Amino acid sequence: MSGVRTLMAAPGRAWRTRTAREQTLLAGSATVLAAVLGWTLAVQPLLTFRDGAQTRYAAAMAEHLEIHQGLERHRALAATATEYDDRGLPLRAVVAQGAARAGVTLARVLPDESGRLNVWIESADPGALMGWLEALSADSAITATRASIDRAAPGSDQVRAQLLLERPGGGS
């Protein structure tokens, strides 16, 4: 224990043996050293973090502005866009495109002499089939004037159908 006291007393004795001028110089040097360490270990990392945060904020704001402008362009285009009108297309093309979008596979398509279209479907999901028929009616004014729908196989959740599709004004 006495060794520790001797070790702790040594700096105090060394300080007292210095002249006032040396003590002032040592205190000034210690102050400068403390300032440099404080700057290097505390202030500079905080400033670097702040600068990085400002840079990240500016980048996020630029990205936000870009997205906002893109949304505004999209809204403007959507407002000026005319709805797609497939009534000028042949009935067969409209039916085939709609079936492909709905995921309904057409097994056979046969136009008749009055401009209607006979369609056979071997296997389809009932929801997809009904959704497709509804979309044809709503989007293209094509209606099923005759429909025969039954299960594709006993116990199956798929259906098969034979449809007679017609558009006002004909045009297969």
Side-chain angles (χ1 to χ4, degrees):
M1 193 62 131
S2 67
V4 172
R5 279 190 212 148
T6 306
L7 189 60
M8 297 297 280
R13 258 188 322 232
W15 181 257
R16 284 188 297 275
T17 60
R18 304 284 178 222
T19 65
R21 181 172 179 228
E22 288 175 332
Q23 287 178 351
T24 304
L25 287 173
L26 284 173
S29 298
T31 303
V32 168
L33 180 63
V36 167
L37 285 175
W39 178 265
T40 304
L41 298 176
V43 176
Q44 190 174 7
L46 289 173
L47 292 174
T48 302
F49 176 78
R50 184 199 63 189
D51 292 343
Q54 287 175 338
T55 302
R56 290 187 302 274
Y57 176 77
M61 286 304 294
E63 187 174 333
H64 171 75
L65 182 61
E66 184 178 337
I67 290 170
H68 184 68
Q69 289 172 343
L71 285 172
E72 290 301 318
R73 282 193 307 270
H74 173 73
R75 286 184 187 123
L77 287 173
T80 61
T82 58
E83 195 163 318
Y84 175 69
D85 184 12
D86 59 12
R87 294 173 200 232
L89 293 175
L91 178 61
R92 187 177 198 149
V94 175
V95 168
Q97 289 172 359
R101 279 193 304 268
V104 174
T105 304
L106 305 179
R108 185 172 167 209
V109 178
L110 181 66
D112 69 8
E113 62 278 349
S114 61
R116 298 177 301 187
L117 201 59
N118 288 291
V119 177
W120 287 266
I121 299 166
E122 293 299 322
S123 179
D125 177 70
L129 177 64
M130 292 303 147
W132 169 59
L133 290 173
E134 174 61 30
L136 284 176
S137 176
D139 298 341
S140 307
I142 298 172
T143 57
T145 56
R146 186 180 68 223
S148 172
I149 302 172
D150 57 355
R151 290 203 183 276
S156 171
D157 61 347
Q158 299 287 303
V159 295
R160 71 173 162 233
Q162 182 179 357
L163 308 166
L164 181 61
L165 301 176
E166 181 176 18
R167 176 168 44 189
S172 61

